[in-house]
Amino acid sequence: MKNSRKIKILLVRHMNKNYGDTIIADCTEYLIKKALGKKADQYTIINYAYTSDDIEQIKYVDAVVFAGGGLIKFKAEDFYKRVAEMIETAQKYNVPVFLNAVGVEGHDEADERCLMISDALNKPCVKGISVRDDIDLLKDSYIKNPDIRIRNGIDPAVWTPQAYGITRRPQDEECIGLGIAREMLFADYDLPQFDRQFMLDFWKDTALALEAKGLKWKLFTNGLDSDECFADDVLEYIGHGEKLAQPNNAATLVKNISYFTGMIATRMHSNIVAFSLGIPSIGLVWNDKLKMWGENIGCSERFLESKDISAENAISALELAMKQGSRKLGFFKKRSSYRELKKFLKANAAVRSENAENIDFSENILAAALGGVEYRYKLLNCVQQIGSTLSKGVKNVEVDVRVTSDGKLVCVNGWSKDTFKKLGIEYNKSLSKGMTLDDFLTLDYHDRFPTASFKDFVFAMSEHSRINAVIDVGMPPKLAVGDMFAEISKSFRHFSIAPERIIIRLQREEDVALWKEQDFDCRIAYFFPDIEDDTQRAEKYAQV
């Protein structure tokens, strides 16, 4: 966060591959910008993941906005701890906080986790909370501070078409989307009867019943790997049909949903996105938040509770919903979250000059693997991201360099299963030493981000003279390390890269000695392990 006179708003996001959470955050960012209007150029919106370790960054911002979702809960996941820590840090530095369109799930005065989040919510720094569901529980059981403004607020995902510029795109023939979630989701929310076999049978019966009515169907997920695995199992259990490819970003999920004419889905935000696009959908209630969403939009009958979940009931409800058509929110209700955000920003988002410090973070930030993309894609080593990284004020990048199977140098974070998954390649033992340079350069990460050779990176460094780099070579094969180091130093000299711009990170003492033989006097970062070879390691364990 490079210091400036702009008002800095920290937007706290939940980052995972359930892109429903991303949609919440993207729509909240859209609403913030909409609320700022012509004054938007006076503000900087800083996206921040719940899982970030650098919580003290709150000290340097002027306001904190939690994007929304089921945050006020303590039994499932660990949001309670992180939310409490962030609010307490904001209180420490007198930074105003707003919780946007949050869900409230349960209360127990005997549970320390509940007491932790309750105590945090009542801190003076919390100026306002908009609530998408169970506002009465929040008011009656959590909030004791009378100065906190509490109002109803619709889930921000109802603004999906505006935030993404995507509208409903019906096909020539009707197609029903079947939204699959992981097999134990219901069981994990105290509905053990909805086990793996029940869900397999439910989805198969639903698909076959749709076919009997002359309707096409396609399986899809919100993006979570566990959802995808079960969706693959469902497709195999049905024995035929089609599953849409795993979405690699929120916009792809929205586009997937936009082509359906109707939907039966498990995940809440599949249903909310469908609603925002005018697509009738039937939700399966595994958590009361789906039931409350249905009540909130006047469509309770479109959300099947556990006692009513069957293929027959789901299709009957879908047919009625498609006959009735989509429903729309009233003007006042749709703008409820937007209105509360705007009130908070107008009253509280101002430069806190008495608290802010003049710190230029760009001098010290190191962008791992050349910088992530869209706050979620990591370790890509995508050379095309250098421009974006520079635009954020970052001057130091790290790049992973490895040897291909034909002895060439490429930018890749090792030849692991995770790497090949990002590249869309099924891993096998023959790939443990990588692939050829030509094969590697034909691939893209997540079908979007190009791969790169080491020379591509060095050329980019020569084009961007402000960038300094840490070169992580891992632990290269001992037979290849000499040629590898020679090629690295040769490339830097060829493109006239000054040694003071480079740090090479090494992990073996012999590699340090070998690098020093190269005619390139850059800095070296390395560590020596306590046990330097297998013989010493064996002797130590023998003594133990």
Side-chain angles (χ1 to χ4, degrees), residues 233-269:
D233 292 345
V234 169
L235 189 64
E236 182 178 357
Y237 191 69
I238 296 172
H240 62 274
E242 181 180 347
K243 179 177 80 69
L244 297 181
Q246 183 176 11
N248 56 22
N249 56 48
T252 300
L253 173 60
V254 176
K255 287 179 181 177
N256 287 347
I257 292 174
S258 72
Y259 288 106
F260 296 135
T261 49
M263 206 167 72
I264 300 171
T266 316
R267 291 289 181 188
M268 179 173 177
H269 280 83

mmCIF file of all heavy atoms in Angstrom, residues 233-269:
data_model
loop_
_atom_site.group_PDB
_atom_site.id
_atom_site.type_symbol
_atom_site.label_atom_id
_atom_site.label_comp_id
_atom_site.label_asym_id
_atom_site.label_seq_id
_atom_site.Cartn_x
_atom_site.Cartn_y
_atom_site.Cartn_z
ATOM 1 N N ASP A 233 -18.002 -37.773 -9.922
ATOM 2 C CA ASP A 233 -18.588 -39.041 -9.475
ATOM 3 C C ASP A 233 -20.070 -39.123 -9.864
ATOM 4 O O ASP A 233 -20.561 -40.194 -10.243
ATOM 5 C CB ASP A 233 -18.451 -39.177 -7.956
ATOM 6 C CG ASP A 233 -17.002 -39.352 -7.506
ATOM 7 O OD1 ASP A 233 -16.151 -39.651 -8.366
ATOM 8 O OD2 ASP A 233 -16.732 -39.184 -6.307
ATOM 9 N N VAL A 234 -20.775 -38.010 -9.744
ATOM 10 C CA VAL A 234 -22.196 -37.984 -10.118
ATOM 11 C C VAL A 234 -22.357 -38.290 -11.602
ATOM 12 O O VAL A 234 -23.220 -39.086 -11.998
ATOM 13 C CB VAL A 234 -22.829 -36.615 -9.773
ATOM 14 C CG1 VAL A 234 -24.214 -36.488 -10.405
ATOM 15 C CG2 VAL A 234 -22.908 -36.426 -8.267
ATOM 16 N N LEU A 235 -21.526 -37.658 -12.426
ATOM 17 C CA LEU A 235 -21.617 -37.883 -13.869
ATOM 18 C C LEU A 235 -21.357 -39.348 -14.199
ATOM 19 O O LEU A 235 -22.058 -39.950 -15.031
ATOM 20 C CB LEU A 235 -20.624 -36.984 -14.600
ATOM 21 C CG LEU A 235 -20.749 -36.954 -16.123
ATOM 22 C CD1 LEU A 235 -22.098 -36.369 -16.545
ATOM 23 C CD2 LEU A 235 -19.610 -36.142 -16.745
ATOM 24 N N GLU A 236 -20.358 -39.928 -13.550
ATOM 25 C CA GLU A 236 -20.058 -41.347 -13.773
ATOM 26 C C GLU A 236 -21.221 -42.221 -13.305
ATOM 27 O O GLU A 236 -21.563 -43.216 -13.952
ATOM 28 C CB GLU A 236 -18.778 -41.723 -13.034
ATOM 29 C CG GLU A 236 -18.346 -43.171 -13.252
ATOM 30 C CD GLU A 236 -17.043 -43.508 -12.548
ATOM 31 O OE1 GLU A 236 -16.450 -42.597 -11.929
ATOM 32 O OE2 GLU A 236 -16.624 -44.683 -12.607
ATOM 33 N N TYR A 237 -21.844 -41.854 -12.197
ATOM 34 C CA TYR A 237 -22.966 -42.628 -11.647
ATOM 35 C C TYR A 237 -24.186 -42.564 -12.569
ATOM 36 O O TYR A 237 -24.886 -43.569 -12.760
ATOM 37 C CB TYR A 237 -23.312 -42.085 -10.268
ATOM 38 C CG TYR A 237 -24.277 -42.935 -9.471
ATOM 39 C CD1 TYR A 237 -23.891 -44.180 -8.982
ATOM 40 C CD2 TYR A 237 -25.565 -42.485 -9.205
ATOM 41 C CE1 TYR A 237 -24.773 -44.961 -8.242
ATOM 42 C CE2 TYR A 237 -26.459 -43.253 -8.461
ATOM 43 C CZ TYR A 237 -26.047 -44.493 -7.984
ATOM 44 O OH TYR A 237 -26.927 -45.263 -7.249
ATOM 45 N N ILE A 238 -24.416 -41.401 -13.158
ATOM 46 C CA ILE A 238 -25.519 -41.278 -14.125
ATOM 47 C C ILE A 238 -25.216 -42.107 -15.369
ATOM 48 O O ILE A 238 -26.097 -42.735 -15.953
ATOM 49 C CB ILE A 238 -25.751 -39.803 -14.494
ATOM 50 C CG1 ILE A 238 -26.211 -39.008 -13.258
ATOM 51 C CG2 ILE A 238 -26.791 -39.667 -15.604
ATOM 52 C CD1 ILE A 238 -26.275 -37.507 -13.476
ATOM 53 N N GLY A 239 -23.969 -42.103 -15.788
ATOM 54 C CA GLY A 239 -23.551 -42.939 -16.914
ATOM 55 C C GLY A 239 -23.510 -42.238 -18.251
ATOM 56 O O GLY A 239 -23.073 -42.816 -19.248
ATOM 57 N N HIS A 240 -23.952 -40.998 -18.301
ATOM 58 C CA HIS A 240 -23.926 -40.226 -19.544
ATOM 59 C C HIS A 240 -24.175 -38.765 -19.184
ATOM 60 O O HIS A 240 -24.432 -38.426 -18.031
ATOM 61 C CB HIS A 240 -24.978 -40.714 -20.534
ATOM 62 C CG HIS A 240 -26.375 -40.582 -20.022
ATOM 63 N ND1 HIS A 240 -26.980 -41.547 -19.248
ATOM 64 C CD2 HIS A 240 -27.307 -39.576 -20.133
ATOM 65 C CE1 HIS A 240 -28.200 -41.172 -18.920
ATOM 66 N NE2 HIS A 240 -28.428 -39.967 -19.448
ATOM 67 N N GLY A 241 -24.107 -37.902 -20.185
ATOM 68 C CA GLY A 241 -24.378 -36.487 -19.947
ATOM 69 C C GLY A 241 -23.123 -35.640 -20.008
ATOM 70 O O GLY A 241 -22.066 -36.077 -20.475
ATOM 71 N N GLU A 242 -23.247 -34.418 -19.511
ATOM 72 C CA GLU A 242 -22.152 -33.446 -19.635
ATOM 73 C C GLU A 242 -21.991 -32.656 -18.345
ATOM 74 O O GLU A 242 -22.966 -32.296 -17.697
ATOM 75 C CB GLU A 242 -22.438 -32.484 -20.786
ATOM 76 C CG GLU A 242 -21.343 -31.447 -21.022
ATOM 77 C CD GLU A 242 -21.663 -30.504 -22.164
ATOM 78 O OE1 GLU A 242 -22.613 -30.789 -22.930
ATOM 79 O OE2 GLU A 242 -20.970 -29.469 -22.284
ATOM 80 N N LYS A 243 -20.739 -32.416 -17.983
ATOM 81 C CA LYS A 243 -20.405 -31.529 -16.876
ATOM 82 C C LYS A 243 -19.584 -30.372 -17.424
ATOM 83 O O LYS A 243 -18.627 -30.588 -18.171
ATOM 84 C CB LYS A 243 -19.594 -32.259 -15.801
ATOM 85 C CG LYS A 243 -19.186 -31.366 -14.620
ATOM 86 C CD LYS A 243 -18.446 -32.150 -13.547
ATOM 87 C CE LYS A 243 -16.999 -32.355 -13.897
ATOM 88 N NZ LYS A 243 -16.200 -31.092 -13.862
ATOM 89 N N LEU A 244 -19.958 -29.155 -17.072
ATOM 90 C CA LEU A 244 -19.181 -28.005 -17.507
ATOM 91 C C LEU A 244 -17.797 -28.035 -16.869
ATOM 92 O O LEU A 244 -17.626 -28.521 -15.751
ATOM 93 C CB LEU A 244 -19.890 -26.703 -17.134
ATOM 94 C CG LEU A 244 -21.254 -26.460 -17.788
ATOM 95 C CD1 LEU A 244 -21.817 -25.113 -17.343
ATOM 96 C CD2 LEU A 244 -21.141 -26.511 -19.309
ATOM 97 N N ALA A 245 -16.813 -27.491 -17.570
ATOM 98 C CA ALA A 245 -15.451 -27.444 -17.038
ATOM 99 C C ALA A 245 -15.411 -26.617 -15.759
ATOM 100 O O ALA A 245 -16.204 -25.686 -15.579
ATOM 101 C CB ALA A 245 -14.504 -26.839 -18.078
ATOM 102 N N GLN A 246 -14.513 -26.979 -14.868
ATOM 103 C CA GLN A 246 -14.348 -26.255 -13.612
ATOM 104 C C GLN A 246 -14.058 -24.782 -13.896
ATOM 105 O O GLN A 246 -13.118 -24.462 -14.623
ATOM 106 C CB GLN A 246 -13.208 -26.855 -12.805
ATOM 107 C CG GLN A 246 -12.994 -26.213 -11.445
ATOM 108 C CD GLN A 246 -11.902 -26.929 -10.644
ATOM 109 O OE1 GLN A 246 -11.169 -27.762 -11.175
ATOM 110 N NE2 GLN A 246 -11.799 -26.614 -9.366
ATOM 111 N N PRO A 247 -14.863 -23.865 -13.365
ATOM 112 C CA PRO A 247 -14.594 -22.446 -13.616
ATOM 113 C C PRO A 247 -13.269 -22.026 -12.991
ATOM 114 O O PRO A 247 -12.930 -22.470 -11.890
ATOM 115 C CB PRO A 247 -15.779 -21.732 -12.949
ATOM 116 C CG PRO A 247 -16.267 -22.688 -11.907
ATOM 117 C CD PRO A 247 -16.023 -24.060 -12.474
ATOM 118 N N ASN A 248 -12.523 -21.179 -13.706
ATOM 119 C CA ASN A 248 -11.251 -20.713 -13.156
ATOM 120 C C ASN A 248 -11.318 -19.282 -12.658
ATOM 121 O O ASN A 248 -10.309 -18.713 -12.249
ATOM 122 C CB ASN A 248 -10.112 -20.868 -14.182
ATOM 123 C CG ASN A 248 -10.410 -20.158 -15.483
ATOM 124 O OD1 ASN A 248 -11.228 -19.241 -15.531
ATOM 125 N ND2 ASN A 248 -9.746 -20.577 -16.554
ATOM 126 N N ASN A 249 -12.497 -18.692 -12.680
ATOM 127 C CA ASN A 249 -12.705 -17.371 -12.078
ATOM 128 C C ASN A 249 -14.201 -17.148 -11.919
ATOM 129 O O ASN A 249 -15.029 -17.907 -12.423
ATOM 130 C CB ASN A 249 -12.058 -16.254 -12.915
ATOM 131 C CG ASN A 249 -12.546 -16.232 -14.345
ATOM 132 O OD1 ASN A 249 -13.750 -16.278 -14.600
ATOM 133 N ND2 ASN A 249 -11.623 -16.173 -15.293
ATOM 134 N N ALA A 250 -14.538 -16.076 -11.207
ATOM 135 C CA ALA A 250 -15.942 -15.803 -10.911
ATOM 136 C C ALA A 250 -16.737 -15.477 -12.170
ATOM 137 O O ALA A 250 -17.896 -15.879 -12.315
ATOM 138 C CB ALA A 250 -16.043 -14.665 -9.903
ATOM 139 N N ALA A 251 -16.127 -14.739 -13.099
ATOM 140 C CA ALA A 251 -16.837 -14.368 -14.321
ATOM 141 C C ALA A 251 -17.248 -15.603 -15.121
ATOM 142 O O ALA A 251 -18.332 -15.640 -15.718
ATOM 143 C CB ALA A 251 -15.970 -13.446 -15.171
ATOM 144 N N THR A 252 -16.386 -16.624 -15.124
ATOM 145 C CA THR A 252 -16.724 -17.856 -15.836
ATOM 146 C C THR A 252 -17.919 -18.540 -15.193
ATOM 147 O O THR A 252 -18.807 -19.058 -15.889
ATOM 148 C CB THR A 252 -15.514 -18.808 -15.860
ATOM 149 O OG1 THR A 252 -14.424 -18.172 -16.527
ATOM 150 C CG2 THR A 252 -15.852 -20.101 -16.589
ATOM 151 N N LEU A 253 -17.958 -18.560 -13.854
ATOM 152 C CA LEU A 253 -19.124 -19.131 -13.173
ATOM 153 C C LEU A 253 -20.393 -18.382 -13.555
ATOM 154 O O LEU A 253 -21.428 -18.992 -13.851
ATOM 155 C CB LEU A 253 -18.921 -19.089 -11.661
ATOM 156 C CG LEU A 253 -20.132 -19.504 -10.814
ATOM 157 C CD1 LEU A 253 -20.559 -20.933 -11.130
ATOM 158 C CD2 LEU A 253 -19.824 -19.346 -9.326
ATOM 159 N N VAL A 254 -20.337 -17.054 -13.569
ATOM 160 C CA VAL A 254 -21.510 -16.260 -13.939
ATOM 161 C C VAL A 254 -21.925 -16.574 -15.370
ATOM 162 O O VAL A 254 -23.122 -16.749 -15.670
ATOM 163 C CB VAL A 254 -21.233 -14.753 -13.773
ATOM 164 C CG1 VAL A 254 -22.415 -13.927 -14.258
ATOM 165 C CG2 VAL A 254 -20.936 -14.421 -12.310
ATOM 166 N N LYS A 255 -20.962 -16.666 -16.279
ATOM 167 C CA LYS A 255 -21.274 -16.988 -17.674
ATOM 168 C C LYS A 255 -21.913 -18.374 -17.780
ATOM 169 O O LYS A 255 -22.868 -18.577 -18.547
ATOM 170 C CB LYS A 255 -20.012 -16.924 -18.525
ATOM 171 C CG LYS A 255 -19.504 -15.517 -18.783
ATOM 172 C CD LYS A 255 -18.225 -15.533 -19.610
ATOM 173 C CE LYS A 255 -17.705 -14.131 -19.847
ATOM 174 N NZ LYS A 255 -16.425 -14.124 -20.590
ATOM 175 N N ASN A 256 -21.370 -19.343 -17.027
ATOM 176 C CA ASN A 256 -21.948 -20.693 -17.054
ATOM 177 C C ASN A 256 -23.426 -20.663 -16.685
ATOM 178 O O ASN A 256 -24.277 -21.254 -17.351
ATOM 179 C CB ASN A 256 -21.197 -21.605 -16.088
ATOM 180 C CG ASN A 256 -19.821 -21.997 -16.590
ATOM 181 O OD1 ASN A 256 -19.495 -21.797 -17.758
ATOM 182 N ND2 ASN A 256 -19.005 -22.546 -15.708
ATOM 183 N N ILE A 257 -23.730 -19.949 -15.610
ATOM 184 C CA ILE A 257 -25.111 -19.889 -15.137
ATOM 185 C C ILE A 257 -25.996 -19.126 -16.128
ATOM 186 O O ILE A 257 -27.174 -19.454 -16.305
ATOM 187 C CB ILE A 257 -25.149 -19.240 -13.740
ATOM 188 C CG1 ILE A 257 -24.477 -20.170 -12.712
ATOM 189 C CG2 ILE A 257 -26.578 -18.923 -13.304
ATOM 190 C CD1 ILE A 257 -24.320 -19.571 -11.331
ATOM 191 N N SER A 258 -25.430 -18.130 -16.793
ATOM 192 C CA SER A 258 -26.229 -17.265 -17.668
ATOM 193 C C SER A 258 -26.837 -18.009 -18.852
ATOM 194 O O SER A 258 -27.788 -17.530 -19.463
ATOM 195 C CB SER A 258 -25.365 -16.099 -18.186
ATOM 196 O OG SER A 258 -24.419 -16.538 -19.145
ATOM 197 N N TYR A 259 -26.309 -19.181 -19.199
ATOM 198 C CA TYR A 259 -26.820 -19.940 -20.348
ATOM 199 C C TYR A 259 -27.963 -20.888 -19.978
ATOM 200 O O TYR A 259 -28.590 -21.473 -20.858
ATOM 201 C CB TYR A 259 -25.687 -20.736 -20.994
ATOM 202 C CG TYR A 259 -24.707 -19.877 -21.752
ATOM 203 C CD1 TYR A 259 -23.447 -19.612 -21.242
ATOM 204 C CD2 TYR A 259 -25.047 -19.318 -22.978
ATOM 205 C CE1 TYR A 259 -22.543 -18.823 -21.926
ATOM 206 C CE2 TYR A 259 -24.148 -18.521 -23.680
ATOM 207 C CZ TYR A 259 -22.898 -18.277 -23.145
ATOM 208 O OH TYR A 259 -22.006 -17.486 -23.834
ATOM 209 N N PHE A 260 -28.239 -21.056 -18.691
ATOM 210 C CA PHE A 260 -29.297 -21.972 -18.279
ATOM 211 C C PHE A 260 -30.674 -21.306 -18.366
ATOM 212 O O PHE A 260 -30.802 -20.099 -18.179
ATOM 213 C CB PHE A 260 -29.064 -22.464 -16.851
ATOM 214 C CG PHE A 260 -27.808 -23.285 -16.675
ATOM 215 C CD1 PHE A 260 -26.951 -23.058 -15.609
ATOM 216 C CD2 PHE A 260 -27.487 -24.290 -17.564
ATOM 217 C CE1 PHE A 260 -25.806 -23.800 -15.435
ATOM 218 C CE2 PHE A 260 -26.338 -25.052 -17.416
ATOM 219 C CZ PHE A 260 -25.493 -24.804 -16.346
ATOM 220 N N THR A 261 -31.688 -22.120 -18.606
ATOM 221 C CA THR A 261 -33.066 -21.620 -18.585
ATOM 222 C C THR A 261 -33.739 -21.909 -17.253
ATOM 223 O O THR A 261 -34.792 -21.349 -16.945
ATOM 224 C CB THR A 261 -33.885 -22.247 -19.726
ATOM 225 O OG1 THR A 261 -33.682 -23.666 -19.719
ATOM 226 C CG2 THR A 261 -33.431 -21.695 -21.065
ATOM 227 N N GLY A 262 -33.165 -22.789 -16.487
ATOM 228 C CA GLY A 262 -33.638 -23.116 -15.154
ATOM 229 C C GLY A 262 -32.528 -23.834 -14.415
ATOM 230 O O GLY A 262 -31.542 -24.272 -15.029
ATOM 231 N N MET A 263 -32.683 -23.980 -13.106
ATOM 232 C CA MET A 263 -31.565 -24.516 -12.340
ATOM 233 C C MET A 263 -32.057 -25.183 -11.053
ATOM 234 O O MET A 263 -33.031 -24.739 -10.431
ATOM 235 C CB MET A 263 -30.612 -23.369 -11.986
ATOM 236 C CG MET A 263 -29.179 -23.789 -11.763
ATOM 237 S SD MET A 263 -28.109 -22.326 -11.726
ATOM 238 C CE MET A 263 -28.577 -21.633 -10.144
ATOM 239 N N ILE A 264 -31.369 -26.254 -10.660
ATOM 240 C CA ILE A 264 -31.519 -26.862 -9.334
ATOM 241 C C ILE A 264 -30.115 -26.895 -8.748
ATOM 242 O O ILE A 264 -29.220 -27.526 -9.324
ATOM 243 C CB ILE A 264 -32.102 -28.284 -9.417
ATOM 244 C CG1 ILE A 264 -33.490 -28.257 -10.074
ATOM 245 C CG2 ILE A 264 -32.177 -28.923 -8.026
ATOM 246 C CD1 ILE A 264 -34.042 -29.639 -10.390
ATOM 247 N N ALA A 265 -29.892 -26.196 -7.655
ATOM 248 C CA ALA A 265 -28.515 -26.008 -7.199
ATOM 249 C C ALA A 265 -28.399 -26.066 -5.682
ATOM 250 O O ALA A 265 -29.331 -25.711 -4.950
ATOM 251 C CB ALA A 265 -27.970 -24.682 -7.708
ATOM 252 N N THR A 266 -27.224 -26.479 -5.241
ATOM 253 C CA THR A 266 -26.934 -26.634 -3.814
ATOM 254 C C THR A 266 -26.334 -25.376 -3.217
ATOM 255 O O THR A 266 -26.722 -24.942 -2.130
ATOM 256 C CB THR A 266 -25.966 -27.815 -3.604
ATOM 257 O OG1 THR A 266 -26.371 -28.920 -4.404
ATOM 258 C CG2 THR A 266 -25.922 -28.220 -2.145
ATOM 259 N N ARG A 267 -25.385 -24.784 -3.890
ATOM 260 C CA ARG A 267 -24.676 -23.628 -3.344
ATOM 261 C C ARG A 267 -25.573 -22.383 -3.393
ATOM 262 O O ARG A 267 -26.248 -22.107 -4.383
ATOM 263 C CB ARG A 267 -23.392 -23.367 -4.130
ATOM 264 C CG ARG A 267 -22.316 -24.432 -3.954
ATOM 265 C CD ARG A 267 -21.697 -24.377 -2.590
ATOM 266 N NE ARG A 267 -20.648 -25.384 -2.396
ATOM 267 C CZ ARG A 267 -20.064 -25.633 -1.248
ATOM 268 N NH1 ARG A 267 -20.435 -24.948 -0.166
ATOM 269 N NH2 ARG A 267 -19.132 -26.561 -1.134
ATOM 270 N N MET A 268 -25.523 -21.618 -2.320
ATOM 271 C CA MET A 268 -26.397 -20.452 -2.191
ATOM 272 C C MET A 268 -26.181 -19.448 -3.309
ATOM 273 O O MET A 268 -27.127 -18.920 -3.895
ATOM 274 C CB MET A 268 -26.167 -19.790 -0.837
ATOM 275 C CG MET A 268 -27.027 -18.544 -0.599
ATOM 276 S SD MET A 268 -26.823 -17.967 1.078
ATOM 277 C CE MET A 268 -27.850 -16.497 1.062
ATOM 278 N N HIS A 269 -24.910 -19.166 -3.635
ATOM 279 C CA HIS A 269 -24.667 -18.090 -4.595
ATOM 280 C C HIS A 269 -24.859 -18.497 -6.045
ATOM 281 O O HIS A 269 -24.953 -17.633 -6.911
ATOM 282 C CB HIS A 269 -23.312 -17.432 -4.335
ATOM 283 C CG HIS A 269 -23.403 -16.447 -3.207
ATOM 284 N ND1 HIS A 269 -23.323 -16.846 -1.894
ATOM 285 C CD2 HIS A 269 -23.665 -15.113 -3.201
ATOM 286 C CE1 HIS A 269 -23.499 -15.785 -1.113
ATOM 287 N NE2 HIS A 269 -23.701 -14.732 -1.882
#
